[in-house]
Coordinates of all heavy atoms in Angstrom, one line a residue:
M124 N 0.8 -1.2 0.0 CA 0.0 0.0 0.0 C 0.9 1.2 0.0 O 1.9 1.3 0.7 CB -0.9 0.0 1.2 CG -2.2 0.7 1.1 SD -3.2 0.4 2.5 CE -4.7 0.1 1.7
R125 N 0.6 2.2 -0.8 CA 1.4 3.4 -0.9 C 1.6 4.2 0.4 O 2.7 4.6 0.7 CB 0.8 4.3 -2.0 CG 1.5 5.6 -2.2 CD 2.8 5.5 -3.0 NE 3.3 6.8 -3.3 CZ 4.6 7.0 -3.3 NH1 5.5 6.1 -3.2 NH2 5.0 8.2 -3.5
K126 N 0.5 4.4 1.1 CA 0.7 5.1 2.4 C 1.6 4.4 3.4 O 2.3 5.1 4.1 CB -0.7 5.5 3.0 CG -1.5 4.3 3.5 CD -2.8 4.8 4.0 CE -3.7 3.6 4.3 NZ -5.0 4.0 4.8
S127 N 1.5 3.1 3.4 CA 2.4 2.4 4.3 C 3.9 2.5 3.9 O 4.8 2.7 4.7 CB 2.0 0.9 4.4 OG 0.8 0.8 5.0
F128 N 4.1 2.5 2.6 CA 5.4 2.6 2.0 C 5.9 4.0 2.4 O 7.1 4.2 2.8 CB 5.4 2.5 0.5 CG 6.7 2.8 -0.1 CD1 7.8 2.0 -0.1 CD2 6.8 4.0 -0.8 CE1 9.0 2.3 -0.6 CE2 8.0 4.4 -1.3 CZ 9.1 3.5 -1.3
L129 N 5.1 5.0 2.3 CA 5.5 6.4 2.6 C 5.9 6.6 4.0 O 7.0 7.2 4.3 CB 4.4 7.4 2.2 CG 4.3 7.7 0.8 CD1 3.0 8.5 0.5 CD2 5.5 8.4 0.2
V130 N 5.2 6.0 4.9 CA 5.5 6.1 6.3 C 6.8 5.4 6.6 O 7.7 5.9 7.3 CB 4.3 5.6 7.2 CG1 4.7 5.5 8.7 CG2 3.1 6.4 7.0
A131 N 7.0 4.2 6.1 CA 8.2 3.5 6.2 C 9.4 4.3 5.7 O 10.5 4.3 6.3 CB 8.1 2.1 5.6
A132 N 9.2 4.9 4.5 CA 10.2 5.7 3.9 C 10.6 6.9 4.8 O 11.7 7.2 5.0 CB 9.8 6.1 2.5
L133 N 9.6 7.5 5.4 CA 9.8 8.7 6.2 C 10.6 8.3 7.4 O 11.6 9.0 7.8 CB 8.5 9.2 6.7 CG 7.6 9.9 5.7 CD1 6.3 10.3 6.3 CD2 8.3 11.1 5.1
L134 N 10.3 7.1 8.0 CA 11.1 6.7 9.1 C 12.5 6.3 8.8 O 13.4 6.6 9.5 CB 10.4 5.5 9.8 CG 9.0 5.8 10.3 CD1 8.4 4.5 10.8 CD2 9.0 6.8 11.4
S135 N 12.7 5.8 7.6 CA 14.0 5.5 7.1 C 14.8 6.8 6.9 O 16.0 6.9 7.3 CB 14.0 4.7 5.8 OG 15.3 4.5 5.3
L136 N 14.2 7.8 6.4 CA 14.9 9.1 6.1 C 15.2 9.7 7.5 O 16.3 10.3 7.6 CB 14.0 10.0 5.3 CG 13.9 9.6 3.8 CD1 12.8 10.5 3.2 CD2 15.2 9.8 3.1
S137 N 14.4 9.7 8.4 CA 14.6 10.3 9.7 C 15.8 9.6 10.4 O 16.5 10.3 11.2 CB 13.4 10.4 10.5 OG 13.0 9.1 11.0
V138 N 15.9 8.4 10.3 CA 17.0 7.6 10.9 C 18.3 7.8 10.2 O 19.3 8.0 10.8 CB 16.6 6.1 11.1 CG1 17.8 5.3 11.6 CG2 15.4 6.0 12.0
S139 N 18.3 7.7 8.9 CA 19.6 7.6 8.2 C 20.0 9.0 7.5 O 21.2 9.2 7.4 CB 19.5 6.6 7.0 OG 19.1 5.3 7.6
G140 N 19.0 9.7 7.1 CA 19.3 11.0 6.5 C 19.9 11.0 5.1 O 20.5 10.0 4.7
G141 N 19.6 12.0 4.3 CA 20.2 12.2 3.0 C 20.1 11.1 2.0 O 19.2 10.3 2.0
A142 N 21.0 11.1 1.0 CA 21.0 10.2 -0.1 C 21.2 8.8 0.3 O 20.7 7.9 -0.3 CB 22.1 10.6 -1.1
M143 N 21.9 8.5 1.4 CA 22.1 7.2 1.9 C 20.8 6.5 2.2 O 20.6 5.3 2.0 CB 23.1 7.1 3.1 CG 24.5 7.4 2.7 SD 25.6 7.3 4.1 CE 25.5 5.6 4.5
A144 N 19.9 7.3 2.8 CA 18.6 6.7 3.2 C 17.8 6.3 2.0 O 17.1 5.3 2.1 CB 17.8 7.7 4.0
Q145 N 18.0 7.0 0.9 CA 17.2 6.7 -0.3 C 17.7 5.4 -0.9 O 17.0 4.7 -1.6 CB 17.3 7.8 -1.3 CG 16.6 9.1 -0.8 CD 16.7 10.2 -1.7 OE1 17.5 10.2 -2.6 NE2 16.0 11.3 -1.4
Q146 N 19.0 5.0 -0.6 CA 19.5 3.8 -1.1 C 19.3 2.6 -0.2 O 19.4 1.5 -0.6 CB 21.0 3.9 -1.4 CG 21.3 5.0 -2.4 CD 22.8 5.3 -2.5 OE1 23.6 4.7 -1.8 NE2 23.2 6.1 -3.4
Q147 N 18.9 2.8 1.0 CA 18.8 1.8 2.0 C 17.3 1.3 2.0 O 16.4 1.9 1.5 CB 19.1 2.3 3.4 CG 20.5 2.6 3.6 CD 20.8 3.2 5.0 OE1 19.9 3.4 5.7 NE2 22.0 3.4 5.3
Q148 N 17.2 0.1 2.5 CA 15.8 -0.5 2.6 C 15.1 0.3 3.6 O 15.6 0.8 4.6 CB 15.9 -2.0 3.1 CG 14.6 -2.7 3.0 CD 14.8 -4.1 3.4 OE1 15.7 -4.5 4.2 NE2 14.0 -5.0 2.8
H149 N 13.8 0.5 3.4 CA 12.9 1.3 4.3 C 12.7 0.5 5.6 O 12.6 -0.7 5.6 CB 11.6 1.7 3.6 CG 11.8 2.4 2.3 ND1 12.4 3.7 2.3 CD2 11.6 2.2 1.1 CE1 12.5 4.1 1.1 NE2 12.0 3.2 0.3
S150 N 12.5 1.3 6.7 CA 12.3 0.7 8.0 C 11.0 1.2 8.6 O 10.3 2.0 8.0 CB 13.5 1.0 8.9 OG 13.6 2.4 9.1
G151 N 10.8 0.8 9.8 CA 9.6 1.2 10.5 C 8.7 0.0 10.7 O 8.4 -0.8 9.8
T152 N 8.4 -0.1 12.0 CA 7.5 -1.3 12.4 C 6.1 -1.1 11.8 O 5.7 0.0 11.5 CB 7.5 -1.4 13.9 OG1 6.7 -0.3 14.4 CG2 8.9 -1.5 14.5
P153 N 5.4 -2.2 11.7 CA 4.0 -2.1 11.3 C 3.2 -1.1 12.2 O 2.4 -0.4 11.7 CB 3.5 -3.5 11.3 CG 4.7 -4.3 11.1 CD 5.8 -3.6 11.8
E154 N 3.5 -1.1 13.5 CA 2.8 -0.3 14.4 C 3.1 1.2 14.1 O 2.3 2.1 14.2 CB 3.2 -0.6 15.9 CG 2.7 -2.0 16.3 CD 3.6 -3.1 15.9 OE1 4.8 -2.9 15.4 OE2 3.1 -4.3 15.9
E155 N 4.4 1.5 13.8 CA 4.8 2.9 13.5 C 4.1 3.3 12.2 O 3.6 4.5 12.1 CB 6.3 3.0 13.4 CG 7.0 2.9 14.7 CD 8.5 2.8 14.5 OE1 9.0 2.3 13.5 OE2 9.2 3.2 15.5
Q156 N 4.1 2.5 11.2 CA 3.4 2.8 10.0 C 1.9 3.1 10.2 O 1.4 4.0 9.7 CB 3.6 1.6 8.9 CG 5.0 1.5 8.5 CD 5.2 0.2 7.6 OE1 4.3 -0.2 7.0 NE2 6.4 -0.3 7.5
K157 N 1.3 2.2 11.0 CA -0.1 2.4 11.3 C -0.4 3.7 12.0 O -1.4 4.4 11.8 CB -0.6 1.2 12.1 CG -2.1 1.2 12.3 CD -2.6 0.0 13.0 CE -4.1 0.1 13.3 NZ -4.6 -1.1 14.0
A158 N 0.6 4.1 12.9 CA 0.4 5.3 13.7 C 0.3 6.5 12.9 O -0.4 7.5 13.3 CB 1.6 5.4 14.7
C159 N 1.0 6.6 11.7 CA 1.0 7.8 10.9 C 0.2 7.7 9.6 O 0.0 8.7 9.0 CB 2.4 8.2 10.6 SG 3.4 8.8 12.0
A160 N -0.3 6.6 9.3 CA -1.0 6.4 8.0 C -2.2 7.3 7.9 O -2.4 8.0 6.9 CB -1.5 4.9 7.9
H161 N -3.0 7.4 9.0 CA -4.2 8.3 9.0 C -3.8 9.8 8.8 O -4.4 10.5 8.0 CB -5.0 8.2 10.3 CG -6.1 9.1 10.4 ND1 -7.3 9.0 9.7 CD2 -6.2 10.3 11.1 CE1 -8.1 10.0 10.0 NE2 -7.5 10.8 10.8
D162 N -2.7 10.2 9.5 CA -2.2 11.6 9.4 C -1.7 11.9 8.0 O -2.0 13.0 7.4 CB -1.1 11.8 10.4 CG -1.7 11.8 11.8 OD1 -2.5 12.6 12.2 OD2 -1.3 10.8 12.5
V163 N -1.0 11.0 7.4 CA -0.5 11.2 6.0 C -1.7 11.3 5.1 O -1.8 12.2 4.2 CB 0.4 10.0 5.5 CG1 0.7 10.1 4.0 CG2 1.7 10.0 6.3
Q164 N -2.7 10.5 5.2 CA -3.9 10.5 4.4 C -4.7 11.9 4.6 O -5.1 12.5 3.7 CB -4.9 9.4 4.7 CG -4.5 8.1 4.1 CD -4.9 8.0 2.7 OE1 -5.5 8.8 2.1 NE2 -4.5 6.9 2.1
K165 N -4.8 12.3 5.9 CA -5.6 13.4 6.2 C -4.9 14.8 5.8 O -5.6 15.6 5.3 CB -5.9 13.4 7.7 CG -6.8 14.5 8.1 CD -7.2 14.4 9.6 CE -8.2 15.5 10.0 NZ -8.6 15.3 11.4
F166 N -3.7 14.9 6.2 CA -3.0 16.2 6.0 C -2.1 16.3 4.8 O -1.8 17.4 4.4 CB -2.2 16.5 7.3 CG -3.0 16.5 8.5 CD1 -2.8 15.6 9.5 CD2 -4.0 17.5 8.7 CE1 -3.5 15.6 10.7 CE2 -4.7 17.5 9.9 CZ -4.5 16.6 10.9
C167 N -1.7 15.1 4.3 CA -0.6 15.2 3.2 C -1.1 14.5 1.9 O -0.2 14.1 1.1 CB 0.7 14.6 3.7 SG 1.2 15.4 5.2
R168 N -2.4 14.3 1.8 CA -2.9 13.5 0.6 C -2.4 14.2 -0.7 O -2.1 13.4 -1.6 CB -4.4 13.5 0.6 CG -5.0 12.8 -0.5 CD -6.6 12.8 -0.4 NE -7.0 12.1 0.7 CZ -7.4 10.8 0.7 NH1 -7.4 10.2 -0.4 NH2 -7.8 10.2 1.8
M169 N -2.3 15.5 -0.8 CA -1.9 16.1 -2.0 C -0.5 15.9 -2.4 O -0.1 16.0 -3.6 CB -2.2 17.6 -1.9 CG -3.7 18.0 -1.8 SD -4.1 19.7 -1.7 CE -3.5 20.2 -3.4
V170 N 0.4 15.5 -1.4 CA 1.8 15.3 -1.7 C 2.2 13.8 -1.6 O 3.4 13.5 -1.6 CB 2.7 16.2 -0.9 CG1 2.4 17.7 -1.2 CG2 2.5 15.9 0.6
M171 N 1.2 13.0 -1.4 CA 1.6 11.5 -1.2 C 2.4 10.9 -2.3 O 3.2 10.0 -2.0 CB 0.3 10.7 -1.0 CG -0.3 10.9 0.4 SD -1.8 9.9 0.6 CE -1.2 8.3 0.3
N172 N 2.2 11.4 -3.5 CA 3.0 10.8 -4.6 C 4.3 11.6 -4.9 O 5.0 11.3 -5.8 CB 2.1 10.8 -5.9 CG 1.0 9.8 -5.7 OD1 1.1 8.8 -5.1 ND2 -0.2 10.2 -6.2
D173 N 4.6 12.6 -4.1 CA 5.8 13.3 -4.2 C 6.9 12.6 -3.4 O 6.7 11.5 -2.9 CB 5.7 14.8 -3.7 CG 4.7 15.6 -4.5 OD1 4.3 15.1 -5.6 OD2 4.4 16.7 -4.1
S174 N 8.1 13.2 -3.3 CA 9.2 12.6 -2.6 C 8.9 12.3 -1.1 O 8.0 13.0 -0.5 CB 10.4 13.4 -2.7 OG 10.3 14.6 -1.9
D175 N 9.6 11.4 -0.5 CA 9.4 11.1 0.9 C 9.7 12.3 1.7 O 9.1 12.6 2.7 CB 10.3 9.9 1.3 CG 9.9 8.7 0.5 OD1 8.8 8.5 0.1 OD2 10.8 7.8 0.4
I176 N 10.7 13.1 1.3 CA 11.1 14.3 2.1 C 9.9 15.3 2.1 O 9.6 15.9 3.1 CB 12.3 15.0 1.4 CG1 13.5 14.1 1.6 CG2 12.6 16.4 2.0 CD1 14.0 13.9 3.0
T177 N 9.2 15.4 0.9 CA 8.0 16.3 0.8 C 6.9 15.9 1.8 O 6.3 16.7 2.5 CB 7.5 16.3 -0.6 OG1 8.5 16.7 -1.5 CG2 6.3 17.2 -0.8
V178 N 6.7 14.6 1.9 CA 5.7 14.1 2.8 C 6.1 14.3 4.3 O 5.3 14.8 5.1 CB 5.4 12.6 2.6 CG1 4.4 12.1 3.6 CG2 4.9 12.4 1.2
L179 N 7.4 14.1 4.6 CA 7.9 14.4 5.9 C 7.7 15.9 6.2 O 7.3 16.2 7.3 CB 9.3 13.9 6.0 CG 10.0 14.2 7.4 CD1 9.3 13.6 8.5 CD2 11.5 13.8 7.3
N180 N 8.1 16.7 5.3 CA 7.9 18.2 5.5 C 6.4 18.5 5.8 O 6.1 19.3 6.6 CB 8.4 19.0 4.3 CG 9.9 19.0 4.2 OD1 10.6 18.8 5.2 ND2 10.5 19.2 3.0
C181 N 5.5 17.9 5.0 CA 4.1 18.1 5.2 C 3.7 17.7 6.7 O 3.0 18.4 7.3 CB 3.3 17.3 4.2 SG 1.5 17.4 4.4
L182 N 4.1 16.5 7.1 CA 3.8 16.1 8.5 C 4.4 17.1 9.5 O 3.7 17.4 10.5 CB 4.4 14.7 8.7 CG 3.6 13.6 8.0 CD1 4.4 12.3 8.3 CD2 2.2 13.5 8.5
Q183 N 5.6 17.6 9.3 CA 6.2 18.5 10.2 C 5.4 19.9 10.2 O 5.2 20.5 11.2 CB 7.6 18.8 9.8 CG 8.5 17.5 10.1 CD 9.9 17.6 9.6 OE1 10.2 18.3 8.6 NE2 10.8 17.0 10.3
Q184 N 4.9 20.3 9.0 CA 4.2 21.5 8.9 C 2.8 21.4 9.7 O 2.3 22.4 10.1 CB 3.9 21.9 7.5 CG 5.2 22.4 6.8 CD 5.0 22.6 5.3 OE1 3.9 22.3 4.8 NE2 6.0 23.1 4.6
N185 N 2.3 20.2 9.8 CA 1.0 19.9 10.4 C 1.2 19.3 11.8 O 0.3 18.7 12.4 CB 0.2 19.0 9.5 CG -0.3 19.7 8.3 OD1 -1.2 20.5 8.4 ND2 0.4 19.5 7.2
R186 N 2.4 19.5 12.4 CA 2.8 18.8 13.6 C 1.7 19.0 14.7 O 1.4 18.1 15.4 CB 4.1 19.4 14.1 CG 4.8 18.6 15.2 CD 5.1 17.2 14.7 NE 5.7 16.4 15.7 CZ 7.0 16.0 15.7 NH1 7.8 16.4 14.7 NH2 7.5 15.3 16.6
A187 N 1.2 20.2 14.9 CA 0.2 20.5 15.9 C -1.1 19.8 15.8 O -1.8 19.6 16.7 CB 0.0 22.0 16.0
K188 N -1.3 19.3 14.5 CA -2.6 18.6 14.2 C -2.5 17.1 14.3 O -3.5 16.4 14.2 CB -3.1 19.1 12.9 CG -3.4 20.5 12.7 CD -3.8 20.8 11.3 CE -3.5 22.2 10.9 NZ -3.7 22.4 9.5
L189 N -1.2 16.6 14.3 CA -1.0 15.2 14.2 C -1.6 14.4 15.4 O -1.6 15.0 16.5 CB 0.5 14.8 14.1 CG 1.2 15.4 12.9 CD1 2.7 14.9 12.9 CD2 0.5 14.9 11.6
T190 N -1.9 13.2 15.2 CA -2.3 12.3 16.3 C -1.1 12.2 17.3 O 0.0 12.3 16.9 CB -2.8 11.0 15.9 OG1 -1.8 10.3 15.1 CG2 -4.1 11.1 15.0
K191 N -1.4 11.9 18.5 CA -0.4 11.7 19.5 C 0.5 10.6 19.1 O 1.8 10.6 19.3 CB -0.9 11.5 20.9 CG -1.5 12.7 21.5 CD -2.0 12.4 22.9 CE -2.7 13.7 23.5 NZ -3.1 13.5 24.8
S192 N -0.1 9.5 18.5 CA 0.7 8.3 18.1 C 1.7 8.7 17.0 O 2.9 8.2 17.0 CB -0.2 7.2 17.7 OG -1.0 7.5 16.7
C193 N 1.3 9.4 16.0 CA 2.2 9.8 14.9 C 3.3 10.8 15.4 O 4.4 10.7 15.1 CB 1.4 10.4 13.7 SG 2.4 10.7 12.3
D194 N 2.9 11.7 16.2 CA 3.8 12.7 16.8 C 4.9 11.9 17.6 O 6.1 12.2 17.5 CB 3.1 13.7 17.7 CG 4.0 14.7 18.3 OD1 4.6 15.5 17.5 OD2 4.2 14.7 19.5
H195 N 4.5 10.9 18.3 CA 5.4 10.1 19.1 C 6.4 9.4 18.2 O 7.6 9.3 18.4 CB 4.6 9.1 20.0 CG 5.5 8.3 20.9 ND1 6.1 8.8 22.0 CD2 5.8 7.0 20.8 CE1 6.8 7.9 22.6 NE2 6.7 6.8 21.9
V196 N 5.9 8.8 17.0 CA 6.8 8.2 16.1 C 7.8 9.1 15.6 O 9.0 8.8 15.5 CB 6.0 7.5 14.9 CG1 6.9 7.0 13.8 CG2 5.1 6.4 15.5
L197 N 7.4 10.3 15.1 CA 8.3 11.3 14.6 C 9.3 11.7 15.7 O 10.5 11.8 15.4 CB 7.6 12.5 14.1 CG 6.7 12.3 12.9 CD1 6.0 13.6 12.5 CD2 7.4 11.7 11.7
T198 N 8.9 11.9 16.9 CA 9.8 12.3 18.0 C 10.8 11.2 18.2 O 12.0 11.4 18.4 CB 9.0 12.6 19.3 OG1 8.1 13.7 19.0 CG2 9.9 12.9 20.4
D199 N 10.4 9.9 18.2 CA 11.3 8.8 18.4 C 12.3 8.7 17.4 O 13.4 8.1 17.6 CB 10.5 7.5 18.5 CG 9.7 7.3 19.8 OD1 9.9 8.1 20.7 OD2 8.9 6.3 19.9
H200 N 12.0 9.2 16.2 CA 13.0 9.1 15.1 C 13.7 10.5 14.8 O 14.2 10.7 13.7 CB 12.3 8.6 13.8 CG 11.9 7.2 13.9 ND1 12.8 6.2 13.6 CD2 10.8 6.6 14.3 CE1 12.2 5.0 13.8 NE2 11.0 5.2 14.2
G201 N 13.7 11.3 15.8 CA 14.5 12.5 15.8 C 13.9 13.6 14.9 O 14.6 14.5 14.5
Q202 N 12.6 13.6 14.7 CA 11.9 14.6 13.8 C 11.1 15.5 14.7 O 10.5 15.2 15.6 CB 11.1 13.9 12.8 CG 11.9 13.1 11.8 CD 12.9 14.0 11.0 OE1 12.6 15.0 10.5 NE2 14.1 13.5 10.9

């Protein structure tokens, strides 16, 4: 599913950073992916098909509106 892939990719980018993350396999537990899937759909639907960095930026721009579970995932990954 595209939204699960995006969340996993976001987590990978937050952990590894930069071009190296784009070359690595995506990470993120199923629980972490589920925690942010709704937020990605709700707040970042228009950029879901853009780069993973764009989706991460969207989540960060909507930080105050995110569910506690997604906010916690981003915080745990240094975002």
Side-chain angles (χ1 to χ4, degrees):
M124 208 173 224
R125 177 77 175 144
K126 65 183 174 182
S127 295
F128 171 78
L129 285 172
V130 174
L133 290 174
L134 297 176
S135 176
L136 287 171
S137 68
V138 172
S139 302
M143 287 183 65
Q145 293 174 352
Q146 296 174 0
Q147 294 178 354
Q148 188 174 34
H149 301 297
S150 63
T152 67
E154 292 82 14
E155 290 172 330
Q156 293 175 22
K157 185 177 179 181
C159 287
H161 175 76
D162 294 292
V163 170
Q164 284 279 356
K165 184 174 182 178
F166 302 114
C167 305
R168 180 180 295 266
M169 294 180 67
V170 298
M171 283 180 60
N172 294 321
D173 293 350
S174 71
D175 298 336
I176 294 291
T177 302
V178 177
L179 177 58
N180 287 336
C181 175
L182 288 174
Q183 290 171 331
Q184 289 172 357
N185 290 283
R186 192 65 178 253
K188 302 175 203 172
L189 297 180
T190 58
K191 289 182 182 181
S192 58
C193 185
D194 182 63
H195 184 72
V196 170
L197 293 180
T198 299
D199 284 353
H200 290 277
Q202 296 299 312

